[in-house]
Short mmCIF file of all heavy atoms in Angstrom, two decimals:
data_model
loop_
_atom_site.label_atom_id
_atom_site.label_comp_id
_atom_site.label_asym_id
_atom_site.label_seq_id
_atom_site.Cartn_x
_atom_site.Cartn_y
_atom_site.Cartn_z
N ARG A 149 -17.18 32.59 -0.10
CA ARG A 149 -17.82 33.44 0.89
C ARG A 149 -19.09 34.10 0.39
O ARG A 149 -19.23 35.32 0.47
CB ARG A 149 -16.85 34.51 1.39
CG ARG A 149 -15.70 33.99 2.18
CD ARG A 149 -15.26 34.98 3.23
NE ARG A 149 -15.32 36.35 2.81
CZ ARG A 149 -14.27 37.14 2.59
NH1 ARG A 149 -13.06 36.67 2.78
NH2 ARG A 149 -14.43 38.38 2.24
N SER A 162 -18.81 38.37 5.15
CA SER A 162 -17.49 38.74 5.65
C SER A 162 -16.82 37.47 6.16
O SER A 162 -17.47 36.47 6.40
CB SER A 162 -17.62 39.76 6.78
OG SER A 162 -17.84 39.08 8.01
N PRO A 163 -15.50 37.52 6.32
CA PRO A 163 -14.78 36.32 6.77
C PRO A 163 -15.38 35.70 8.03
O PRO A 163 -15.59 34.49 8.10
CB PRO A 163 -13.37 36.84 7.03
CG PRO A 163 -13.22 37.98 6.10
CD PRO A 163 -14.57 38.62 6.00
N LYS A 164 -15.69 36.51 9.00
CA LYS A 164 -16.19 35.96 10.26
C LYS A 164 -17.60 35.41 10.10
O LYS A 164 -17.94 34.37 10.62
CB LYS A 164 -16.15 37.03 11.35
CG LYS A 164 -14.74 37.29 11.85
CD LYS A 164 -14.60 36.98 13.31
CE LYS A 164 -13.18 36.62 13.72
NZ LYS A 164 -12.16 37.59 13.40
N TRP A 190 -12.21 32.82 16.67
CA TRP A 190 -11.65 34.02 17.32
C TRP A 190 -10.29 33.73 17.98
O TRP A 190 -9.56 34.62 18.33
CB TRP A 190 -12.63 34.58 18.34
CG TRP A 190 -13.65 35.49 17.73
CD1 TRP A 190 -13.57 36.86 17.64
CD2 TRP A 190 -14.89 35.14 17.11
NE1 TRP A 190 -14.69 37.34 17.00
CE2 TRP A 190 -15.51 36.32 16.67
CE3 TRP A 190 -15.54 33.91 16.88
CZ2 TRP A 190 -16.74 36.32 16.01
CZ3 TRP A 190 -16.77 33.92 16.22
CH2 TRP A 190 -17.35 35.12 15.80
N PHE A 196 -15.38 39.71 25.64
CA PHE A 196 -15.61 40.50 24.44
C PHE A 196 -15.72 39.66 23.18
O PHE A 196 -16.59 39.90 22.34
CB PHE A 196 -14.51 41.55 24.28
CG PHE A 196 -14.62 42.66 25.28
CD1 PHE A 196 -13.70 42.78 26.30
CD2 PHE A 196 -15.68 43.54 25.22
CE1 PHE A 196 -13.82 43.79 27.23
CE2 PHE A 196 -15.82 44.55 26.16
CZ PHE A 196 -14.89 44.67 27.17
N ARG A 199 -19.12 38.30 23.18
CA ARG A 199 -20.14 39.26 22.75
C ARG A 199 -20.06 39.49 21.25
O ARG A 199 -21.06 39.62 20.57
CB ARG A 199 -19.96 40.59 23.48
CG ARG A 199 -20.20 40.61 24.98
CD ARG A 199 -21.26 39.69 25.47
NE ARG A 199 -22.47 39.58 24.68
CZ ARG A 199 -23.49 40.43 24.72
NH1 ARG A 199 -23.43 41.45 25.52
NH2 ARG A 199 -24.54 40.25 23.98
N SER A 200 -18.84 39.54 20.76
CA SER A 200 -18.65 39.73 19.32
C SER A 200 -19.34 38.60 18.56
O SER A 200 -20.04 38.83 17.57
CB SER A 200 -17.16 39.74 19.02
OG SER A 200 -16.92 40.14 17.69
N VAL A 203 -22.96 39.12 18.30
CA VAL A 203 -23.29 40.08 17.25
C VAL A 203 -23.35 39.37 15.90
O VAL A 203 -24.26 39.62 15.09
CB VAL A 203 -22.25 41.22 17.21
CG1 VAL A 203 -22.47 42.09 16.00
CG2 VAL A 203 -22.33 42.04 18.48
N TYR A 204 -22.41 38.49 15.68
CA TYR A 204 -22.40 37.78 14.40
C TYR A 204 -23.58 36.83 14.26
O TYR A 204 -24.11 36.63 13.18
CB TYR A 204 -21.06 37.06 14.20
CG TYR A 204 -20.07 38.01 13.63
CD1 TYR A 204 -19.24 38.76 14.45
CD2 TYR A 204 -20.01 38.23 12.26
CE1 TYR A 204 -18.36 39.69 13.93
CE2 TYR A 204 -19.14 39.15 11.73
CZ TYR A 204 -18.32 39.87 12.56
OH TYR A 204 -17.47 40.80 12.03
N LYS A 207 -26.31 38.87 13.00
CA LYS A 207 -26.18 39.13 11.57
C LYS A 207 -26.63 37.93 10.75
O LYS A 207 -27.39 38.07 9.78
CB LYS A 207 -24.73 39.45 11.22
CG LYS A 207 -24.21 40.73 11.84
CD LYS A 207 -22.81 41.04 11.35
CE LYS A 207 -22.21 42.14 12.19
NZ LYS A 207 -21.22 42.96 11.50
N HIS A 224 -28.80 27.65 25.99
CA HIS A 224 -28.27 28.52 27.04
C HIS A 224 -27.03 27.94 27.73
O HIS A 224 -27.07 26.85 28.26
CB HIS A 224 -29.37 28.77 28.08
CG HIS A 224 -29.13 29.98 28.91
ND1 HIS A 224 -29.69 31.20 28.64
CD2 HIS A 224 -28.38 30.16 30.01
CE1 HIS A 224 -29.32 32.07 29.53
NE2 HIS A 224 -28.52 31.48 30.39
P DC C 5 -17.95 49.11 0.80
OP1 DC C 5 -18.24 48.63 -0.57
OP2 DC C 5 -18.95 49.84 1.59
"O5'" DC C 5 -17.46 47.86 1.64
"C5'" DC C 5 -16.21 47.24 1.31
"C4'" DC C 5 -15.66 46.62 2.58
"O4'" DC C 5 -15.25 47.67 3.48
"C3'" DC C 5 -16.64 45.76 3.36
"O3'" DC C 5 -16.12 44.44 3.38
"C2'" DC C 5 -16.71 46.38 4.75
"C1'" DC C 5 -15.43 47.21 4.79
N1 DC C 5 -15.45 48.40 5.68
C2 DC C 5 -14.43 48.55 6.62
O2 DC C 5 -13.55 47.69 6.68
N3 DC C 5 -14.43 49.64 7.42
C4 DC C 5 -15.40 50.54 7.32
N4 DC C 5 -15.35 51.59 8.14
C5 DC C 5 -16.46 50.42 6.37
C6 DC C 5 -16.45 49.33 5.58
P DT C 6 -16.98 43.28 4.03
OP1 DT C 6 -16.65 42.05 3.30
OP2 DT C 6 -18.37 43.73 4.20
"O5'" DT C 6 -16.32 43.18 5.46
"C5'" DT C 6 -14.92 42.98 5.56
"C4'" DT C 6 -14.51 43.16 7.00
"O4'" DT C 6 -14.74 44.52 7.41
"C3'" DT C 6 -15.27 42.29 8.00
"O3'" DT C 6 -14.35 41.37 8.54
"C2'" DT C 6 -15.82 43.28 9.03
"C1'" DT C 6 -14.99 44.52 8.78
N1 DT C 6 -15.62 45.82 9.10
C2 DT C 6 -15.04 46.60 10.08
O2 DT C 6 -14.03 46.28 10.68
N3 DT C 6 -15.68 47.79 10.30
C4 DT C 6 -16.82 48.25 9.68
O4 DT C 6 -17.30 49.34 9.98
C5 DT C 6 -17.37 47.38 8.69
C7 DT C 6 -18.61 47.78 7.95
C6 DT C 6 -16.76 46.21 8.45
P DT C 7 -14.83 40.27 9.55
OP1 DT C 7 -13.88 39.16 9.47
OP2 DT C 7 -16.28 40.04 9.39
"O5'" DT C 7 -14.61 41.02 10.94
"C5'" DT C 7 -13.29 41.47 11.27
"C4'" DT C 7 -13.35 42.26 12.55
"O4'" DT C 7 -14.12 43.45 12.35
"C3'" DT C 7 -14.03 41.52 13.71
"O3'" DT C 7 -13.03 41.29 14.69
"C2'" DT C 7 -15.15 42.45 14.18
"C1'" DT C 7 -14.74 43.78 13.57
N1 DT C 7 -15.83 44.73 13.24
C2 DT C 7 -15.83 45.98 13.82
O2 DT C 7 -14.98 46.35 14.60
N3 DT C 7 -16.87 46.79 13.44
C4 DT C 7 -17.90 46.49 12.56
O4 DT C 7 -18.77 47.30 12.30
C5 DT C 7 -17.84 45.17 12.00
C7 DT C 7 -18.90 44.73 11.03
C6 DT C 7 -16.82 44.36 12.36
P DT C 8 -13.37 40.66 16.10
OP1 DT C 8 -12.18 39.99 16.60
OP2 DT C 8 -14.66 39.94 16.01
"O5'" DT C 8 -13.60 41.98 16.98
"C5'" DT C 8 -12.53 42.89 17.10
"C4'" DT C 8 -12.97 44.09 17.90
"O4'" DT C 8 -14.11 44.72 17.28
"C3'" DT C 8 -13.40 43.78 19.34
"O3'" DT C 8 -12.67 44.66 20.15
"C2'" DT C 8 -14.90 44.06 19.36
"C1'" DT C 8 -15.02 45.12 18.27
N1 DT C 8 -16.32 45.24 17.55
C2 DT C 8 -16.97 46.45 17.55
O2 DT C 8 -16.55 47.43 18.14
N3 DT C 8 -18.15 46.47 16.81
C4 DT C 8 -18.70 45.43 16.10
O4 DT C 8 -19.75 45.56 15.49
C5 DT C 8 -17.96 44.19 16.16
C7 DT C 8 -18.47 43.00 15.43
C6 DT C 8 -16.82 44.15 16.87
P DT C 9 -12.63 44.46 21.73
OP1 DT C 9 -11.31 44.89 22.19
OP2 DT C 9 -13.16 43.13 22.05
"O5'" DT C 9 -13.67 45.55 22.23
"C5'" DT C 9 -13.41 46.91 21.96
"C4'" DT C 9 -14.63 47.74 22.27
"O4'" DT C 9 -15.69 47.44 21.35
"C3'" DT C 9 -15.21 47.53 23.67
"O3'" DT C 9 -15.15 48.79 24.31
"C2'" DT C 9 -16.64 47.05 23.42
"C1'" DT C 9 -16.92 47.60 22.02
N1 DT C 9 -17.92 46.88 21.18
C2 DT C 9 -18.92 47.59 20.59
O2 DT C 9 -19.05 48.79 20.72
N3 DT C 9 -19.78 46.86 19.81
C4 DT C 9 -19.73 45.50 19.59
O4 DT C 9 -20.55 44.94 18.88
C5 DT C 9 -18.65 44.79 20.25
C7 DT C 9 -18.50 43.33 20.07
C6 DT C 9 -17.80 45.51 21.00
P DA C 10 -15.61 48.98 25.84
OP1 DA C 10 -14.78 50.05 26.44
OP2 DA C 10 -15.69 47.65 26.47
"O5'" DA C 10 -17.08 49.55 25.68
"C5'" DA C 10 -17.32 50.56 24.71
"C4'" DA C 10 -18.79 50.90 24.68
"O4'" DA C 10 -19.47 50.00 23.76
"C3'" DA C 10 -19.53 50.75 26.01
"O3'" DA C 10 -20.18 51.98 26.27
"C2'" DA C 10 -20.50 49.60 25.80
"C1'" DA C 10 -20.72 49.64 24.29
N9 DA C 10 -21.06 48.37 23.66
C8 DA C 10 -20.43 47.16 23.79
N7 DA C 10 -20.96 46.20 23.08
C5 DA C 10 -22.03 46.81 22.44
C6 DA C 10 -23.00 46.33 21.54
N6 DA C 10 -23.05 45.06 21.12
N1 DA C 10 -23.92 47.19 21.09
C2 DA C 10 -23.87 48.47 21.51
N3 DA C 10 -23.00 49.04 22.35
C4 DA C 10 -22.10 48.14 22.78
P DA C 11 -20.77 52.34 27.71
OP1 DA C 11 -20.42 53.73 28.00
OP2 DA C 11 -20.43 51.25 28.66
"O5'" DA C 11 -22.33 52.28 27.44
"C5'" DA C 11 -22.86 52.88 26.25
"C4'" DA C 11 -24.26 52.39 26.04
"O4'" DA C 11 -24.21 51.11 25.37
"C3'" DA C 11 -25.04 52.18 27.34
"O3'" DA C 11 -26.18 53.01 27.29
"C2'" DA C 11 -25.38 50.70 27.35
"C1'" DA C 11 -25.25 50.30 25.88
N9 DA C 11 -24.86 48.92 25.63
C8 DA C 11 -23.86 48.21 26.25
N7 DA C 11 -23.73 46.98 25.81
C5 DA C 11 -24.72 46.88 24.83
C6 DA C 11 -25.10 45.83 23.97
N6 DA C 11 -24.51 44.64 23.99
N1 DA C 11 -26.11 46.06 23.12
C2 DA C 11 -26.69 47.27 23.11
N3 DA C 11 -26.42 48.33 23.87
C4 DA C 11 -25.41 48.07 24.71
P DC C 12 -27.16 53.09 28.56
OP1 DC C 12 -27.71 54.46 28.56
OP2 DC C 12 -26.52 52.51 29.76
"O5'" DC C 12 -28.32 52.11 28.10
"C5'" DC C 12 -28.85 52.23 26.79
"C4'" DC C 12 -29.83 51.10 26.57
"O4'" DC C 12 -29.09 49.90 26.21
"C3'" DC C 12 -30.63 50.74 27.82
"O3'" DC C 12 -31.98 50.55 27.45
"C2'" DC C 12 -30.00 49.44 28.29
"C1'" DC C 12 -29.62 48.84 26.94
N1 DC C 12 -28.62 47.74 26.99
C2 DC C 12 -28.72 46.71 26.06
O2 DC C 12 -29.62 46.76 25.21
N3 DC C 12 -27.84 45.68 26.09
C4 DC C 12 -26.88 45.66 27.02
N4 DC C 12 -26.04 44.63 27.00
C5 DC C 12 -26.75 46.71 27.98
C6 DC C 12 -27.63 47.70 27.92
P DC C 13 -33.09 50.31 28.58
OP1 DC C 13 -34.02 51.44 28.54
OP2 DC C 13 -32.45 49.89 29.85
"O5'" DC C 13 -33.81 49.03 27.97
"C5'" DC C 13 -33.82 48.80 26.56
"C4'" DC C 13 -34.04 47.32 26.34
"O4'" DC C 13 -32.77 46.61 26.45
"C3'" DC C 13 -34.99 46.67 27.34
"O3'" DC C 13 -36.05 46.04 26.63
"C2'" DC C 13 -34.12 45.67 28.10
"C1'" DC C 13 -33.00 45.39 27.10
N1 DC C 13 -31.72 44.96 27.73
C2 DC C 13 -31.16 43.74 27.35
O2 DC C 13 -31.73 43.06 26.49
N3 DC C 13 -30.00 43.34 27.91
C4 DC C 13 -29.40 44.11 28.83
N4 DC C 13 -28.26 43.67 29.35
C5 DC C 13 -29.96 45.36 29.24
C6 DC C 13 -31.11 45.75 28.67
P DT C 15 -38.73 38.84 26.49
OP1 DT C 15 -39.51 38.37 25.32
OP2 DT C 15 -39.38 39.38 27.70
"O5'" DT C 15 -37.76 37.67 26.91
"C5'" DT C 15 -36.87 37.15 25.95
"C4'" DT C 15 -35.96 36.15 26.63
"O4'" DT C 15 -35.12 36.82 27.59
"C3'" DT C 15 -36.69 35.05 27.38
"O3'" DT C 15 -36.19 33.84 26.85
"C2'" DT C 15 -36.33 35.30 28.85
"C1'" DT C 15 -34.99 36.00 28.72
N1 DT C 15 -34.54 36.90 29.81
C2 DT C 15 -33.29 36.73 30.34
O2 DT C 15 -32.53 35.85 29.98
N3 DT C 15 -32.94 37.62 31.34
C4 DT C 15 -33.72 38.65 31.82
O4 DT C 15 -33.29 39.38 32.70
C5 DT C 15 -35.02 38.79 31.22
C7 DT C 15 -35.92 39.86 31.69
C6 DT C 15 -35.37 37.92 30.26
P DA C 16 -36.73 32.44 27.29
OP1 DA C 16 -36.74 31.56 26.10
OP2 DA C 16 -37.95 32.66 28.11
"O5'" DA C 16 -35.57 31.93 28.25
"C5'" DA C 16 -34.24 32.05 27.81
"C4'" DA C 16 -33.33 31.52 28.89
"O4'" DA C 16 -33.11 32.54 29.88
"C3'" DA C 16 -33.86 30.28 29.62
"O3'" DA C 16 -32.80 29.36 29.68
"C2'" DA C 16 -34.28 30.84 31.00
"C1'" DA C 16 -33.31 32.01 31.16
N9 DA C 16 -33.80 33.14 31.97
C8 DA C 16 -35.01 33.75 31.88
N7 DA C 16 -35.15 34.78 32.70
C5 DA C 16 -33.94 34.84 33.36
C6 DA C 16 -33.45 35.70 34.36
N6 DA C 16 -34.16 36.72 34.87
N1 DA C 16 -32.20 35.50 34.82
C2 DA C 16 -31.49 34.49 34.31
N3 DA C 16 -31.85 33.61 33.36
C4 DA C 16 -33.10 33.85 32.93
P DC C 17 -33.02 27.89 30.19
OP1 DC C 17 -32.18 27.05 29.34
OP2 DC C 17 -34.46 27.65 30.36
"O5'" DC C 17 -32.37 27.87 31.64
"C5'" DC C 17 -31.57 28.90 31.99
"C4'" DC C 17 -31.00 28.82 33.36
"O4'" DC C 17 -31.36 30.07 33.97
"C3'" DC C 17 -31.48 27.72 34.29
"O3'" DC C 17 -30.36 27.01 34.77
"C2'" DC C 17 -32.24 28.43 35.40
"C1'" DC C 17 -31.81 29.89 35.28
N1 DC C 17 -32.90 30.88 35.49
C2 DC C 17 -32.66 31.96 36.36
O2 DC C 17 -31.55 32.04 36.89
N3 DC C 17 -33.63 32.87 36.57
C4 DC C 17 -34.82 32.74 35.96
N4 DC C 17 -35.75 33.65 36.21
C5 DC C 17 -35.09 31.65 35.07
C6 DC C 17 -34.11 30.75 34.87
#
Side-chain angles (χ1 to χ4, degrees):
Chain A
R149 293 212 322 250
S162 85
K164 286 241 154 56
W190 276 266
F196 288 110
R199 294 326 319 278
S200 190
V203 171
Y204 276 91
K207 295 185 191 208
H224 200 97

